[in-house]
């Protein structure tokens, strides 16, 4: 569950996280939940609350038990039972649904307006009746007192279908070329329709006459708004008997009092996208307006922003669950989003556990979504040269400015003023020089062994002392004064070998630091040799040295890396030549190979012959076998080919056959004397 906060309003996204595929078995789903922490922590409020591809409209029944959504592909409607937290049923349709309306308190009576000019009625058991209107429809409303359906669309007429009589009535003739949306006031049943010319026409269903006309296109243009083209009406919603909110195709929301032709408030979304939905939240006097990119909540009296949400995918419809803080959206993605905002109201009774869950999460605050964003005004964007990004996904409109990614802000600032870092760096160098001018050069006695290492430890010790002084901590003991490491700076056996392979591989990374230390060592040695008094360093010398070093840092490092690589290649080449000479000087000894039992060695040419034979085609091999006599190909009476061949016997098989032949001959020789004695005994006299 993802938590975001804007204007100290917590927004809980209950559909955040990955969803598991439907074709997975329960066993695999449990295994994934054990392995993946994100899947285990996600909240699936309603099971399979999604569409195959895209969801277009979402509504809640008047009793609050059923949530219905339509989408594609294929065109279908899904009804979810909120009390069971699962899907109730699913019905596929013949064509895509433009919009639909729930006529009953539950799901027993539904009307669908489809894109093929069809109007389809569904009852509790399923499809009930289907009819057609003369022109393509875009929206419709249901007039409860007369049981009339009012259809508006690509026509100047408003078609009326009476459900009690089951027939079309005389249509209403308007001055508009096309109409986009319509709505009926729930108190006095005034019918209002928004036209493509940016006007709102109000009709009295009892007299079937027009009673009012509002020019919203002219009223939406103010000094602060920038529009392109003629605004048309894209959303319309009544609140009570007197208030009406109108959304335009250029991203403005106008709040009207029916007693006045001028809007009370004009609210701009600053994206230039058509307003998809307008809802009223009466508990806090808020208006919830949404385009395809953002959902804004603002006060209807002052116009002050309350909070806003930007889902990952484009929004098609917004539905506010009655008398609660739950908000549902249909968007350009399979998953339909569910948001819970505790400030708007409590959780519905079928998911009351959300209240206790959000209270526990508030005890452990997390980072908000806008931590990595920079707030900029329109003037800041013009100074950075990013005014053309207004309306794109890189800017998020908020109050009098925009939120943009902090990384994009830094890049744009560097491009707008590329020398800002150099100026900052020079200022820092100047400050460091000013700090060191008051100090004198102090000669430090370095050991005879590992002078560079000792100088490095002295520099690090000075930095640690400054940090400890700022943090008011105790200084750590120095390694130079520690008896355990005294031998390392006295015994020449512990001298660091700079010509070793390990040191040279690491040398390109620390070359500049080591060069600075060598310069410092050389300077200290010259001062010790001359035995001069400590003098203050000239002002110009330090600044010139620093500037030259800072300008040549990068080039020197690259040259050092190339130099080391070249040296390593040369050494490797010399080693290869030496190994080659050694190999040439050594005498080759004859090698002996053992032949397996049963195999006969003829010559090395046999293997070459076999390889040549395997490269030949099948026809060439058959011709060769015929010449050798091991293969015979003949025609049969049926017309096909018959091939007979002899298998080549190995030496082991030949020896085995000869042994069997000798064995049979020995058995024959043994049987002959026995049979000869038997014949003689039979011919003689009987034995007494």
């Amino acid at each position: 569950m993802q938590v975001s906060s804007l204007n100290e309003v917590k927004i809980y996204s209950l559909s955040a996280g990955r969803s598991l595929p439907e074709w997975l078995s329960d066993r695999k789903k449990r295994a994934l939940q054990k392995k993946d922490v994100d899947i285990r922590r996600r909240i699936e409020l309603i099971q399979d609350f999604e569409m195959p591809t895209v969801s277009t409209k979402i509504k809640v029944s008047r009793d609050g038990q059923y949530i219905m959504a339509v989408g594609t592909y294929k065109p279908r409607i899904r009804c979810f039972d909120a009390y069971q937290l699962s899907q109730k049923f699913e019905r596929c349709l013949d064509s895509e649904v433009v919009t639909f309306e729930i006529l009953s308190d539950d799901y027993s009576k539904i009307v669908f307006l489809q894109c093929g000019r069809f109007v389809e009625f569904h009852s509790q058991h399923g499809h009930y009746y289907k009819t057609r209107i003369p022109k393509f429809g875009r929206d419709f409303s249901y007039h409860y007192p007369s049981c009339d359906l009012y259809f508006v669309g690509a026509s100047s007429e408003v078609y009326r279908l009476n459900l009690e009589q089951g027939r079309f009535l005389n249509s209403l003739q308007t001055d508009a070329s096309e109409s986009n949306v319509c709505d009926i006031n729930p108190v006095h049943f005034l019918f209002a329709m928004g036209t493509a010319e940016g006007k709102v026409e109000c009709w009295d269903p009892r007299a079937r006459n027009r009673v009012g006309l509002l020019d919203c296109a002219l009223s939406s243009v103010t000094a602060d708004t920038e529009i392109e083209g003629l605004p048309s009406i894209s959303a319309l919603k009544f609140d009570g008997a007197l208030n009406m909110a109108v959304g335009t195709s250029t991203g403005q929301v106008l709040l009207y009092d029916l007693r006045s032709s001028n809007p009370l408030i004009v609210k701009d979304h600053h994206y230039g996208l058509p307003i998809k939905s307008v809802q009223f939240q009466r508990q806090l006097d808020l208006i919830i307006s949404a385009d395809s990119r953002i959902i804004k909540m603002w006060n209807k009296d002052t116009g002050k922003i309350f909070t806003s949400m930007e889902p990952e995918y484009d929004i098609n419809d917004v539905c506010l669950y009655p008398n609660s803080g739950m908000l549902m959206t249909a968007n350009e993605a399979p998953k339909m989003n569910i948001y819970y905002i505790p400030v708007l109201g409590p959780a519905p009774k079928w998911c009351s556990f959300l209240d206790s869950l959000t209270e526990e999460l508030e005890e452990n605050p997390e980072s908000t979504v806008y931590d990595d964003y920079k707030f900029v005004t329109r003037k800041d964007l013009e100074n950075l040269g990013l005014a053309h990004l207004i309306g794109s996904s890189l800017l998020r409109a908020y109050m009098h400015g925009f939120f943009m990614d902090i990384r994009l802000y830094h890049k744009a600032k560097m491009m707008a003023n590329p020398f800002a870092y150099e100026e900052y760096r020079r200022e820092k160098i100047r400050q460091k020089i000013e700090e060191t001018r008051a100090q004198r050069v102090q000669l430090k006695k370095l050991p005879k062994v590992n002078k560079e290492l000792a100088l490095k430890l002295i520099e690090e010790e000075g930095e640690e002392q400054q940090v400890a002084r700022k943090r008011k901590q105790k200084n750590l003991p120095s390694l130079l004064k520690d008896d355990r490491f005294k031998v390392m700076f006295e015994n020449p056996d512990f001298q660091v070998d700079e010509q070793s392979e390990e040191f040279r591989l690491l040398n390109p990374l620390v070359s500049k630091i080591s060069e600075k230390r060598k310069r410092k060592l050389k300077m200290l040695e010259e001062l010790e040799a001359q035995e001069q008094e400590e003098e203050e360093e000239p002002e110009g010398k330090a600044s010139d040295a620093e500037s030259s070093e800072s300008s040549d840092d990068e080039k020197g490092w690259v040259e050092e890396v190339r130099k080391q690589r070249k040296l390593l290649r040369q050494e490797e080449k010399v080693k290869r030549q030496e190994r080659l000479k050694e190999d040439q000087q050594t005498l080759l000894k004859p090698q002996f190979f053992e032949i397996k039992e049963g195999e006969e060695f003829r010559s090395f040419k046999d293997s070459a012959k076999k390889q040549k034979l395997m490269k030949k085609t099948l026809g060439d091999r058959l011709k060769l076998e015929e010449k050798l006599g091991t293969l015979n190909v003949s025609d049969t009476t049926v017309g096909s080919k018959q091939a007979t061949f002899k298998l080549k016997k190995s030496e082991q098989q030949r020896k085995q056959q000869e042994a069997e032949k000798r064995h049979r001959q020995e058995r024959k020789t043994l049987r002959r004397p026995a049979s000869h004695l038997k014949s003689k005994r039979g011919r003689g006299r009987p034995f007494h």
Side-chain angles (χ1 to χ4, degrees):
M1 181 168 61
Q2 186 180 2
V3 184
S4 60
S5 177
L6 183 63
N7 288 349
E8 298 182 356
V9 178
K10 290 291 184 67
I11 302 172
Y12 297 90
S13 178
L14 305 179
S15 55
R18 293 190 300 168
S19 59
L20 297 175
E22 296 180 359
W23 44 266
L24 282 181
S25 61
D26 294 339
R27 185 177 181 180
K28 289 186 178 180
K29 288 182 180 179
R30 288 194 297 269
L32 283 174
Q33 288 177 356
K34 291 179 181 178
K35 294 179 182 179
D36 200 329
V37 179
D38 295 335
I39 295 177
R40 188 166 62 249
R41 289 181 177 177
R42 70 189 178 96
I43 294 178
E44 192 174 12
L45 190 62
I46 299 176
Q47 187 177 3
D48 298 332
F49 193 68
E50 58 186 14
M51 281 287 171
T53 307
V54 173
S55 54
T56 55
K57 291 288 182 179
I58 184 169
K59 294 181 184 292
V60 180
S61 61
R62 285 197 292 271
D63 58 2
Q65 183 177 355
Y66 302 101
I67 303 170
M68 299 184 190
V70 294
T72 55
Y73 177 80
K74 299 177 179 180
R76 67 191 66 203
I77 176 175
R78 285 183 176 178
C79 178
F80 299 92
D81 192 342
Y83 293 171
Q84 301 297 327
L85 300 179
S86 61
Q87 182 176 309
K88 178 75 174 178
F89 63 83
E90 179 184 16
R91 297 172 187 170
C92 290
L93 305 172
D94 296 334
S95 58
E96 295 183 10
V97 177
V98 178
T99 184
F100 73 100
E101 188 72 33
I102 305 171
L103 303 183
S104 60
D105 293 340
D106 54 4
Y107 66 92
S108 58
K109 294 179 182 179
I110 315 172
V111 183
F112 298 97
L113 176 61
Q114 299 176 356
C115 62
R117 297 193 288 129
F118 287 103
V119 180
E120 191 169 334
F121 298 88
H122 281 223
S123 61
Q124 192 170 4
H125 63 82
H127 176 269
Y128 181 76
Y129 186 73
K130 192 173 186 179
T131 186
R132 214 169 184 188
I133 56 177
K135 299 289 185 179
F136 288 96
R138 295 176 183 174
D139 198 6
F140 73 95
S141 296
Y142 181 61
H143 188 251
Y144 282 93
S146 61
C147 298
D148 288 345
L149 287 175
Y150 287 79
F151 296 94
V152 298
S155 174
S156 61
E157 298 179 346
V158 179
Y159 304 108
R160 296 191 302 151
L161 176 61
N162 187 272
L163 300 183
E164 185 179 7
Q165 302 177 20
R167 65 187 183 92
F168 282 96
L169 304 179
N170 293 331
S171 58
L172 304 179
Q173 186 64 41
T174 65
D175 296 336
S177 60
E178 293 179 354
S179 301
N180 296 329
V181 291
C182 63
D183 193 22
I184 294 179
N185 193 291
V187 179
H188 47 70
F189 302 105
L190 180 69
F191 174 72
M193 51 176 287
T195 66
E197 290 81 8
K199 298 180 181 180
V200 175
E201 296 188 12
C202 298
W203 291 71
D204 188 356
R206 299 170 297 180
R208 296 190 297 278
N209 293 326
R210 192 176 72 184
V211 295
L213 179 65
L214 293 174
D215 192 353
C216 300
L218 185 62
S219 301
S220 63
V221 180
T222 59
D224 300 332
T225 58
E226 296 180 2
I227 60 174
E228 296 180 1
L230 181 65
S232 61
I233 308 302
S234 59
L236 185 65
K237 188 69 175 178
F238 280 105
D239 178 40
L242 299 176
N243 292 331
M244 179 181 65
V246 178
T248 64
S249 59
T250 54
Q252 289 85 29
V253 181
L254 297 85
L255 181 63
Y256 281 94
D257 190 318
L258 295 181
R259 296 168 293 184
S260 173
S261 59
N262 297 322
L264 301 176
I265 291 177
V266 178
K267 189 69 178 178
D268 195 351
H269 273 218
H270 295 288
Y271 279 112
L273 299 173
I275 302 298
K276 295 277 188 177
S277 173
V278 179
Q279 303 283 338
F280 286 90
Q281 212 278 342
R282 296 182 179 178
Q283 284 78 9
L284 299 178
D285 292 334
L286 298 177
I287 294 179
I288 304 172
S289 56
D291 56 22
S292 59
R293 185 170 295 171
I294 190 171
I295 303 172
K296 286 191 174 184
M297 303 181 188
W298 44 282
N299 191 281
K300 69 177 185 179
D301 297 327
T302 61
K304 183 180 179 182
I305 193 73
F306 181 72
T307 187
S308 63
M309 296 177 291
E310 289 193 55
E312 185 178 359
Y313 301 98
D314 290 347
I315 303 167
N316 289 328
D317 192 19
V318 177
C319 177
L320 181 65
Y321 195 89
N323 302 321
S324 72
M326 181 172 289
L327 193 72
M328 294 170 285
T329 63
N331 39 45
E332 294 287 328
K335 187 181 291 186
M336 293 178 285
N337 294 333
I338 303 177
Y339 298 96
Y340 176 54
I341 308 172
V343 180
L344 297 182
K349 59 181 180 181
W350 49 271
C351 57
S352 57
F353 59 89
L354 289 177
D355 290 329
S356 58
L357 184 63
T358 52
E359 288 176 2
E360 292 177 3
L361 290 175
E362 287 179 358
E363 295 176 0
N364 301 320
E366 297 181 358
S367 60
T368 58
V369 175
Y370 289 94
D371 284 345
D372 298 329
Y373 284 81
K374 172 73 175 177
F375 180 79
V376 291
T377 60
R378 189 181 292 270
K379 187 177 181 180
D380 296 336
L381 291 175
E382 292 175 355
N383 294 335
L384 295 173
L386 300 178
H388 63 282
L389 296 180
I390 297 176
S392 65
S393 58
L394 299 175
L395 297 179
R396 302 185 179 190
Y398 172 65
M399 295 181 70
H400 64 285
F402 304 90
F403 275 110
M404 67 182 300
D405 196 295
I406 192 69
R407 295 170 294 180
L408 177 61
Y409 174 77
H410 288 318
K411 288 181 180 179
K413 194 172 182 181
M414 280 292 295
M415 293 177 67
N417 189 7
F419 301 103
Y421 177 72
E422 293 296 330
E423 294 175 0
Y424 170 78
R425 194 166 181 271
R426 290 196 193 106
E427 183 66 22
K428 284 292 182 183
I429 292 172
R430 190 187 63 78
Q431 292 178 4
K432 290 290 183 183
I433 292 172
E434 291 292 337
E435 291 177 0
T436 55
R437 275 177 181 172
Q439 302 175 358
R440 293 179 178 273
V441 178
Q442 297 180 359
L443 290 176
K444 299 178 182 178
K445 293 182 179 181
L446 297 176
K448 297 180 180 180
V449 182
N450 290 329
K451 290 184 178 181
E452 291 189 15
L453 179 60
L455 185 60
K456 176 185 175 183
L457 294 174
I458 291 172
E459 292 176 357
E460 291 180 354
E461 183 182 354
E463 294 176 0
E464 290 177 358
Q465 286 179 358
Q466 292 180 1
V467 174
R469 196 180 301 113
K470 291 179 181 180
R471 297 182 179 179
K472 298 181 180 180
Q473 296 178 352
K474 294 182 179 180
N475 295 330
L476 298 175
S478 175
L479 294 178
L480 295 172
K481 300 177 182 178
D482 198 336
D483 296 335
R484 295 175 296 175
F485 304 98
K486 187 192 298 182
V487 186
M488 189 167 61
F489 302 101
E490 295 178 355
N491 192 348
D493 295 336
F494 290 94
Q495 177 67 40
V496 176
D497 187 8
E498 296 184 359
Q499 300 300 324
S500 63
E501 184 178 358
E502 292 81 3
F503 184 84
R504 292 182 66 186
L505 289 174
L506 294 173
N507 189 39
L509 301 177
V510 294
S511 60
K512 300 309 297 180
I513 303 173
S514 61
E515 286 178 5
K516 291 178 183 178
R517 292 201 188 100
K518 286 179 181 178
R519 289 197 209 101
K520 197 169 183 179
L521 280 172
K522 190 175 181 181
M523 184 181 67
L524 291 174
E525 288 174 358
E526 290 176 356
L527 290 174
E528 288 178 357
Q530 294 175 2
E531 295 182 357
Q532 295 177 353
E533 296 181 356
E534 298 177 354
E535 296 179 357
E536 186 176 359
E537 184 181 0
E539 294 181 2
K541 187 177 179 180
S543 60
D544 293 341
E546 286 290 337
S547 61
S548 62
E549 288 176 8
S550 63
S551 61
D552 296 338
D553 275 348
E554 187 175 355
K555 294 182 180 179
W557 186 85
V558 174
E559 291 176 358
E560 184 70 21
V561 172
R562 291 176 179 173
K563 183 179 178 182
Q564 292 297 329
R565 286 181 178 174
K566 190 175 181 180
L567 290 173
L568 289 173
R569 288 197 204 99
Q570 292 176 357
E571 292 179 2
E572 186 67 24
K573 188 176 180 180
V574 172
K575 289 180 181 178
R576 284 201 303 269
Q577 292 176 356
E578 291 177 356
R579 286 198 298 268
L580 184 61
K581 289 180 180 179
E582 291 177 0
D583 294 340
Q584 291 175 355
Q585 293 175 1
T586 55
L587 298 175
L588 296 176
K589 296 180 180 180
Q591 295 183 356
F592 298 93
F593 299 93
E594 183 179 357
I595 300 176
K596 294 182 180 180
E597 185 179 357
E599 293 184 359
E600 181 181 356
F601 177 76
R602 296 178 182 177
S603 66
F604 290 105
K605 296 181 180 180
D606 291 344
S607 60
K609 288 181 180 180
K610 288 182 180 180
Q611 290 180 358
K612 289 181 181 179
L613 186 62
M614 292 303 294
K615 291 181 180 179
K616 292 184 178 181
T617 61
L618 179 62
D620 296 340
R621 292 203 300 269
L622 291 176
K623 290 178 182 179
L624 183 62
E625 294 291 340
E626 280 186 290
K627 290 180 181 180
L628 297 175
T630 57
L631 179 68
N632 184 22
V633 181
S634 60
D635 297 332
T636 61
T637 57
V638 186
S640 59
K641 294 284 185 179
Q642 181 178 357
T644 59
F645 56 90
K646 297 178 182 179
L647 294 174
K648 291 182 179 180
K649 297 179 181 179
S650 63
E651 187 67 24
Q652 187 174 1
Q653 291 177 349
R654 194 182 301 109
K655 289 181 179 180
Q656 187 176 358
Q657 288 180 358
E658 290 178 359
E660 291 178 356
K661 189 175 181 181
R662 288 196 300 270
H663 181 67
R664 285 195 296 270
Q665 290 178 357
E666 289 176 0
R667 286 176 63 87
K668 286 180 181 180
T669 54
L670 289 174
R671 286 176 182 173
R672 284 176 185 173
S675 59
H676 181 68
L677 290 173
K678 184 177 181 181
S679 60
K680 282 185 178 183
R681 191 181 297 135
R683 289 195 300 268
R685 290 179 294 179
F687 180 76
H688 294 285

